């Protein structure tokens, strides 16, 4: 029996073929003839050929047959016949049910359909059923032959999981069961066959003894075609929206074929704060923004009002309160000298300028305890006298950052740093320079410098120091430290030592002169300082919130957090936002052939529609593609057609 | 197989023969056997044959070498030289290459064979034989000369010509008229399909009483009645252009037009003082040869 994989192609093929057929059947055939003179030849109507002679009726019949063959070939013909060879006479009284438990099954009613189908399967009082599914904890397996009561209970306990898909693992397990269970007669796969999930599937369930039955769920009236009728929140972000206000920005997607108006609301503190009507284009997206006061609530939820085919992607929660500010302290010799005071004020201004001032901000703390960064202008012997050096070392070894500028006595400073194993260097001389006609131009950053990533190609390359005070010309330094920046004469401008736990000691080789006039502080010196102190790097408190998807695991020291469900979580000092994988709400599904290919690894594998009852091997159908035979037939018919449609040049008696 | 005289004149039998000299000899000999006429004998430079010596005849006709060998008195006879220049004009335009489905040869091949025969006859009659013709692209001119070598040269040239291109242009015809020697017989072998008005100008030399001209129009049977087919796309052999037509539908009109054209052409040619004969490639070569001999006889 011939079955067509693309039956619609039959109609389209006929629709295309008939006009062509008509054209060919009545086409005019003119033979080219060289003639000595066209002087007495005038154009005439050309009689249509091929209508009345029996031989031409044969040609017409041939052409009809040719187009039928072409149409049949395009319709992907297969021969469905009984297996002539039944390799092993077995009793296939076992049936394994594979259930797709991915989150996408919760949309378009797919899960309910799958559960209903399973309940039907388990209600016919036959034995030999098995079940494979998964949860967040791993695969769930009920071997073939389990009691129907247990299977019914297992089905009721299943639900779509937010975590990563274990479809491949389930299919691998099914393959092993298939290999070991010689009497396994059928594997039934219940899934929505969503493309984002199934396109990565590499099943190898090809086995002539086991029939694979695909049960598409949630496909509605048009199985194996893309679904419609879903709207989703694709993205949502919160950012400062002015003084004491926040701006909520979101992208909404529409997978419907028609434009849809949707009401979007922001909920905070248990009530709707703002709502907007948004018109979503067909198969497109639209942005929406809200501006809310920031101090009233800690979190908010943006929600699409109304219902659609997939509900879980209609809301998204997020933190809206600013995280605590990062702290820095200034450690300076008291009382402050005039030049120290100017430098302290400048550094304080620089640090308070880092970040956006709202969500990512730095604050000066009076105490130097538990701060993230210590600023020590004029580092010298006074640190040792005040017993500050052990605290500085603890601070660095615990992951803190310290910024040092040279003090009055360079020899004493060097000795203190060396004694506490903080930094070891030698220097040529001290340049007492207040004002220079020749500015300290910074060397072009080498490619290996970590600063290149930030400043390469930017205006920061123009950074130069027109005026510095007490420039210390270093000669050599220990290997644990590195010099990321030089002036154009090759003299180091800063030495950085990194400690194992993330601590960072930044030693500037000069004292800052804040009353300089043309140093582009905001544009270049501030980002330079930020980069030298790694103030924005991950782990330095730069990130605001941590976004996770179910299944992600976050570690902090010896503790870890595994995201399972969407929502907002406060874990240790982390504020976490867990949101579902957006790909799970995509409406695209794979075709039946693609599903077959994904499961079997080859085209032409046995596939049937879901049918109630068991299938015996004697009734098993073997599908054999016939397109090659159709193509061969087309070729032969085409050759005959070309031969028969040659212009006739036999002489006819003249009247 | 013994060829009869009739079969030796049949173009279907002769079309495959490459050697025009041999072809002409066979045709003319066969034809003349049927005609029972001898060539003109008399005083000339070209030896013709021996005959018995008649007593009283001038002894300078005796062949003394034969007498010495055979002790027999024989007299040599010579082909009489004439003052006639036989110029064969062979149309080598592309249209002459036409060959109908039922024809044994193309018009050009037919004209080639006929030209060879006429040249052979002319040489045997003692005429000086020359050639003019070809096409616009390849023009041939051999000044009339007497003797066998001149005949051979003419036959080789005829055999090497191929139909291609357009007709010989007006200026070439003017030059031909200017270099044509007096006392010339001009045999024009062409299909004459490029218009009757042009030929009135081209055959201007025939108006002179010292020249004679015979126009032999060579046509294919299909040019008179059109090929048999339901529909054809006619492509001009000389000019660019094509016309799709049904011969069945337009045959009557075509034949009428062609007859009218041939009538007008004949009138035009006759007005120039030339003879005109239309032959088809299915007819044997004797038609053309007879026309030529008729012209010769009339001239004598």
């Amino acid at each position: 029996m011939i079955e067509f994989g693309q039956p619609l192609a039959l109609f389209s093929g006929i629709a295309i073929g008939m006009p062509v057929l008509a054209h060919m059947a009545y086409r005019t055939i003119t033979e080219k003839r060289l003639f000595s003179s066209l002087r007495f030849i005038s154009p005439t109507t050309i009689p249509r050929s091929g209508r009345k002679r029996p031989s031409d009726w044969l040609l017409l019949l041939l052409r009809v047959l040719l187009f039928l063959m072409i149409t049949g070939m395009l319709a992907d013909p297969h021969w469905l016949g009984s297996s002539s060879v039944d390799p092993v006479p077995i009793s296939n009284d076992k049936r394994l049910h594979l259930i797709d438990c991915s989150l996408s099954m919760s949309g378009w009613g797919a899960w309910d359909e799958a559960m209903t189908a399973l309940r039907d399967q388990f209600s016919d009082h036959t034995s030999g059923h098995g079940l494979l599914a998964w949860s967040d904890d791993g695969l769930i397996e009920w071997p073939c032959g389990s009691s129907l009561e247990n299977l019914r209970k297992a089905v009721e306990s299943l639900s779509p999981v937010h975590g990563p898909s274990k479809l491949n693992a389930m299919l691998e397990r099914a393959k092993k069961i298939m290999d070991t269970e010689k009497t396994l007669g059928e594997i039934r796969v219940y899934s929505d066959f969503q493309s984002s999930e199934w396109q990565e599937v590499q099943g190898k369930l090809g086995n002539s003894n086991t029939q694979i039955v695909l049960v598409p769920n949630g496909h509605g009236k048009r199985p194996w075609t893309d679904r419609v009728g879903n709207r989703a929140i694709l993205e949502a972000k919160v950012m400062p929206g002015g003084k004491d206000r926040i701006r909520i920005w979101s992208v909404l997607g529409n997978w419907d074929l028609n434009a849809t108006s949707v009401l979007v609301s922001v909920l905070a503190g248990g009530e709707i704060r703002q709502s907007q009507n948004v018109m979503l284009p067909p198969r497109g997206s639209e942005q929406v923004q809200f501006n809310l006061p920031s101090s009233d609530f800690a979190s908010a939820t943006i929600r699409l009002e109304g219902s659609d085919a997939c509900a879980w992607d209609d809301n998204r929660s997020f933190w809206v309160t600013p995280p605590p500010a990062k702290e820095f302290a200034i450690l300076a010799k008291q009382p402050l000298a005039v030049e120290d005071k100017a430098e302290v004020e400048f550094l304080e201004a620089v640090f308070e300028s880092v970040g956006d001032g709202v969500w990512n901000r730095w604050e000066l703390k009076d105490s130097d305890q538990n701060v993230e960064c210590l600023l020590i202008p004029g580092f010298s012997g006074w640190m040792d006298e005040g017993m500050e050096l052990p605290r500085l070392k603890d601070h660095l070894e615990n992951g803190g950052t310290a910024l040092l500028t040279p003090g009055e006595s360079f020899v004493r400073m060097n000795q203190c740093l060396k004694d506490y194993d903080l930094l070891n260097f030698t220097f040529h001389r001290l340049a007492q320079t207040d004002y220079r006609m020749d500015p300290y131009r910074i060397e072009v950053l080498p490619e290996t410098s970590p600063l290149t990533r930030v400043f390469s190609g930017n205006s920061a390359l123009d950074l130069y120091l027109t005026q510095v005070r007490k420039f210390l010309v270093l000669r050599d330094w220990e290997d644990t430290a590195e010099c990321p920046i030089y002036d154009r004469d090759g003299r180091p401008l800063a030495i950085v030592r990194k400690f194992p736990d993330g601590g960072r000691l930044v030693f500037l080789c000069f004292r800052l002169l804040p009353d300089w006039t043309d140093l582009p502080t905001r544009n270049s010196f501030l980002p330079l300082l930020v980069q030298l102190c790694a103030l924005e790097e991950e782990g330095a408190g730069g990130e605001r919130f941590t976004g996770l998807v179910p299944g992600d695991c976050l570690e902090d020291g010896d503790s870890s957090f595994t995201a399972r469900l969407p929502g907002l979580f406060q874990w240790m000092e982390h504020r976490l936002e867990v949101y579902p994988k957006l790909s799970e709400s995509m409406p695209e599904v794979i075709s039946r052939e693609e599903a077959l290919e994904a499961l079997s690894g080859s085209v032409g594998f046995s596939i049937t529609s879901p049918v109630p009852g068991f299938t015996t091997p004697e009734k098993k159908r073997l599908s054999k593609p016939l397109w090659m035979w159709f193509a061969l037939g087309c070729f032969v018919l085409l050759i005959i057609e070309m031969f028969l449609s040659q212009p006739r040049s036999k002489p006819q008696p003249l009247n | 197989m013994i060829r009869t005289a009739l079969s030796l004149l049949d173009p279907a039998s002769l079309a495959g023969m490459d050697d025009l000299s041999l072809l002409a000899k066979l045709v003319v000999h066969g034809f003349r056997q049927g005609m029972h006429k001898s060539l003109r004998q008399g005083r000339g430079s070209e030896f013709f044959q021996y005959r018995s010596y008649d007593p009283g005849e001038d002894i300078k006709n005796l062949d003394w070498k034969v007498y010495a060998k055979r002790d027999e008195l024989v007299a040599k006879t010579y082909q009489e030289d004439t003052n006639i220049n036989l110029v064969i004009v062979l149309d080598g335009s592309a249209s002459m290459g036409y060959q109908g489905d039922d024809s044994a040869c193309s018009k050009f091949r037919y004209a080639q064979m006929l030209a060879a025969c006429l040249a052979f006859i002319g040489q045997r009659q003692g005429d000086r034989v020359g050639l003019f013709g070809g096409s616009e692209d390849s023009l041939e001119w051999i000044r009339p000369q007497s003797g066998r070598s001149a005949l051979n040269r003419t036959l080789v040239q005829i055999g090497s010509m191929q139909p291609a291109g357009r007709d010989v242009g007006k200026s070439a015809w003017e030059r031909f008229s200017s270099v044509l020697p007096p006392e010339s017989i001009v045999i024009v072998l062409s299909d004459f399909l490029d218009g009757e008005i042009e030929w009135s100008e081209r055959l201007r030399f025939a108006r002179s009483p010292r020249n004679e001209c015979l126009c032999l129009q060579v046509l294919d049977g299909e040019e008179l009645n059109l090929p048999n087919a339901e529909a054809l796309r006619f492509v001009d052999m000389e000019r660019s252009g094509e016309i799709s037509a049904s011969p069945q539908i337009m045959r009557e009109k075509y034949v009428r037009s062609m007859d009218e054209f041939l009538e007008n052409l004949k009138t035009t040619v006759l007005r120039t003082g030339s003879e005109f004969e239309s032959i088809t490639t299915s007819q044997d070569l004797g038609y053309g040869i007879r026309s030529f001999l008729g012209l010769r006889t009339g001239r004598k």
Side-chain angles (χ1 to χ4, degrees), chain A residues 375-549:
Chain A
L375 306 181
I376 309 175
F379 182 93
S380 186
W382 59 269
M383 287 285 291
D384 191 21
E385 294 162 4
M387 300 300 288
E388 307 286 355
L389 281 172
R391 282 164 49 203
L392 173 60
K393 188 168 185 180
D394 287 347
H395 172 76
L396 292 170
E397 289 177 344
N398 288 326
T401 302
L403 176 68
L404 278 61
T405 60
E408 291 297 327
S409 170
F410 286 8
V411 177
R412 185 80 176 107
M413 172 191 70
N414 196 4
Q415 191 63 43
C416 290
L417 291 172
K418 191 183 297 182
D419 289 347
Y420 281 86
D421 194 21
L422 295 174
L423 202 59
N424 190 5
F425 59 80
T426 59
F427 57 91
H428 285 292
R429 62 188 174 85
L430 175 69
Q432 293 287 354
T433 55
D434 275 352
Y435 296 92
R436 279 176 63 102
M437 293 301 291
D438 182 18
Y440 292 93
R441 290 186 179 276
I442 295 177
E443 175 63 89
V444 173
L445 296 169
E447 288 186 3
T448 53
S449 170
L451 297 176
T452 304
R453 180 169 53 88
V454 178
F455 291 106
S456 179
N458 294 335
S459 59
L461 285 176
D462 297 332
L463 174 63
Y464 52 87
L465 309 173
T466 51
Q467 300 154 21
V468 298
R469 208 154 54 82
K470 291 186 179 179
F471 183 66
L472 187 64
V473 183
L474 299 188
R475 175 191 294 166
D476 196 9
W477 53 91
E478 59 185 347
D479 293 340
T480 54
E482 61 180 16
C483 177
I485 187 169
Y486 295 84
D487 74 352
R488 294 195 176 183
D489 295 328
R491 295 172 298 193
L493 288 174
I495 297 292
V496 177
R497 182 186 172 189
K498 296 175 183 174
F499 288 79
D501 286 338
R504 180 181 285 254
L505 176 61
V506 180
F507 176 74
L508 296 182
C509 299
F510 53 88
R511 297 215 65 177
L512 302 167
L513 194 60
D515 57 347
W516 49 37
T517 55
D518 52 356
L519 177 67
T521 307
R522 181 69 196 174
N523 291 335
S524 56
F525 190 71
L526 172 60
L528 175 66
L529 212 57
V530 168
Q531 292 301 320
L532 286 174
C533 298
L535 300 179
E536 295 284 2
E537 287 185 9
E538 191 175 353
E543 74 273 27
R544 183 171 60 84
F545 300 120
T546 303
L548 303 171
V549 295

Side-chain angles (χ1 to χ4, degrees), chain A residues 21 76 163 183 205 414 547 581:
Chain A
L21 186 66
D76 190 15
T183 57
L205 300 183
N414 196 4
K581 281 173 69 176

Side-chain angles (χ1 to χ4, degrees), chain B residues 210-227:
Chain B
R210 301 170 65 187
N211 295 332
E212 290 192 47
C213 179
L214 170 61
C215 294
L216 292 175
Q217 185 186 29
V218 182
L219 293 175
D220 193 276
E222 287 187 350
E223 287 176 321
L224 296 172
N225 293 303
L226 286 178

Side-chain angles (χ1 to χ4, degrees), chain A residues 156-431:
Chain A
E156 299 307 325
S157 68
L158 290 175
S159 65
V161 298
H162 284 81
S165 169
K166 297 183 177 62
L167 189 57
N168 268 320
M170 184 175 72
L171 293 174
E172 281 182 20
R173 178 61 191 150
K175 170 67 175 168
K176 287 181 181 174
I177 294 173
M178 181 189 286
D179 292 340
T180 54
E181 285 278 2
K182 298 299 180 187
T183 57
L184 181 62
E186 185 178 277
I187 291 180
R188 298 176 71 86
V189 183
Y190 301 82
S191 174
D192 57 355
F193 296 97
Q194 192 204 32
S195 59
S196 64
E197 186 181 7
W198 277 83
Q199 63 191 5
E200 297 173 359
V201 167
Q202 288 292 329
K204 293 176 181 172
L205 300 183
N207 184 334
S208 60
N209 292 327
T210 307
Q211 185 180 18
I212 308 295
V213 178
L214 305 183
V215 187
N217 301 128
H219 285 197
K221 295 178 181 177
R222 298 176 59 205
W224 305 105
T225 56
D226 289 346
R227 302 165 295 185
V228 294
N230 186 35
R231 302 180 299 274
I233 297 174
L234 304 178
E235 182 69 271
K237 280 187 177 178
V238 183
M239 56 200 76
K243 188 177 181 183
D244 297 331
R245 296 190 74 81
I246 56 168
R247 188 162 61 91
I248 298 172
W249 170 82
S250 180
V251 180
L252 313 176
N254 177 28
W255 280 288
D256 210 343
L257 297 175
N258 304 313
T260 307
S261 175
V262 63
L263 181 63
V264 191
S265 302
V266 172
L267 291 82
E271 60 183 51
I272 295 176
R273 300 285 175 165
Q274 281 186 12
S275 293
Q276 284 186 36
N277 258 318
V278 181
M279 179 60 74
L280 301 178
R283 290 267 178 187
S285 61
E286 189 60 77
Q287 299 182 38
V288 60
Q289 294 192 46
F290 297 91
N291 195 285
L292 301 172
S294 61
S295 56
D296 293 352
F297 34 81
S299 65
T301 299
I302 185 168
R303 186 174 71 189
L304 300 181
E305 304 293 350
S307 61
D308 61 6
C310 190
W312 56 263
D313 58 4
D314 291 348
N315 57 72
R316 176 82 68 91
S317 297
F318 37 81
W319 295 104
V320 295
T321 52
K326 288 166 280 190
E327 295 172 326
F328 70 98
I330 297 175
L331 204 58
K333 181 183 178 182
Q334 299 295 338
L336 289 173
V338 174
E339 58 270 24
D340 290 347
K341 186 179 180 182
E343 193 175 54
V344 164
E345 288 175 349
F346 176 73
L347 287 174
E348 182 182 342
V350 166
F351 269 72
E352 285 178 343
S353 301
V354 175
D356 55 23
V358 182
W359 297 84
N360 178 19
R361 65 188 191 280
W362 288 77
E363 283 182 357
L364 178 63
K365 190 177 179 185
D366 294 336
S367 167
D368 57 0
Q369 299 293 325
N370 297 323
V371 294
E372 295 186 45
C373 188
L374 266 178
L375 306 181
I376 309 175
F379 182 93
S380 186
W382 59 269
M383 287 285 291
D384 191 21
E385 294 162 4
M387 300 300 288
E388 307 286 355
L389 281 172
R391 282 164 49 203
L392 173 60
K393 188 168 185 180
D394 287 347
H395 172 76
L396 292 170
E397 289 177 344
N398 288 326
T401 302
L403 176 68
L404 278 61
T405 60
E408 291 297 327
S409 170
F410 286 8
V411 177
R412 185 80 176 107
M413 172 191 70
N414 196 4
Q415 191 63 43
C416 290
L417 291 172
K418 191 183 297 182
D419 289 347
Y420 281 86
D421 194 21
L422 295 174
L423 202 59
N424 190 5
F425 59 80
T426 59
F427 57 91
H428 285 292
R429 62 188 174 85
L430 175 69

Side-chain angles (χ1 to χ4, degrees), chain A residues 500-629:
Chain A
D501 286 338
R504 180 181 285 254
L505 176 61
V506 180
F507 176 74
L508 296 182
C509 299
F510 53 88
R511 297 215 65 177
L512 302 167
L513 194 60
D515 57 347
W516 49 37
T517 55
D518 52 356
L519 177 67
T521 307
R522 181 69 196 174
N523 291 335
S524 56
F525 190 71
L526 172 60
L528 175 66
L529 212 57
V530 168
Q531 292 301 320
L532 286 174
C533 298
L535 300 179
E536 295 284 2
E537 287 185 9
E538 191 175 353
E543 74 273 27
R544 183 171 60 84
F545 300 120
T546 303
L548 303 171
V549 295
D552 284 354
C553 185
L554 182 67
E555 294 184 354
D556 190 346
D558 298 333
S559 304
S560 65
F561 173 86
T562 302
R564 291 185 181 277
L565 293 172
L568 303 178
F569 301 91
Q570 177 84 42
W571 176 68
M572 298 175 67
E573 294 179 350
H574 300 277
R575 286 182 170 181
L576 306 177
E577 291 177 359
V578 182
Y579 39 85
K581 281 173 69 176
L582 200 61
S583 60
E584 295 287 352
S585 67
M586 297 295 177
E588 288 85 5
V589 299
I590 60 174
S591 66
R592 195 173 66 155
E593 288 70 27
E594 288 171 328
L596 170 67
E597 198 172 348
L599 282 171
S600 64
S602 65
V603 180
F605 187 69
S606 170
I607 184 169
T608 62
S609 301
V611 289
F614 283 14
T615 308
T616 63
E618 289 75 24
K619 292 180 182 176
K620 194 181 300 172
R621 305 294 235 181
L622 290 181
S623 175
K624 191 175 179 183
L626 292 177
W627 68 268
M628 183 68 84
W629 291 104

Side-chain angles (χ1 to χ4, degrees), chain A residues 29-50 53 648-655, chain B residues 95 98 101 193 195-196 222-223 227-228 230-237 241 243-246 248-251 253-254 257 261:
Chain A
I29 301 168
T30 55
E31 180 191 0
K32 184 177 178 181
R33 172 71 69 96
L34 290 171
F35 204 65
S36 49
S37 174
L38 305 185
R39 187 175 171 187
F40 308 112
I41 295 177
S42 54
T44 65
T45 55
I46 305 299
R48 296 184 184 278
S49 61
R53 284 184 289 277
R648 297 171 201 84
S649 57
K650 289 180 182 177
Q652 293 177 348
L654 295 174
N655 294 328
Chain B
S95 63
Y98 183 77
D101 291 337
L193 288 177
E196 56 272 38
E222 287 187 350
E223 287 176 321
N228 285 318
E230 285 183 4
L232 288 175
R233 191 150 52 92
F234 292 97
V235 180
D236 198 311
M237 295 177 77
I243 296 174
S244 293
S246 168
Q248 292 175 343
I249 295 175
M250 63 171 294
R251 179 167 286 116
K253 181 183 175 187
Y254 178 87
S257 299
F261 163 70

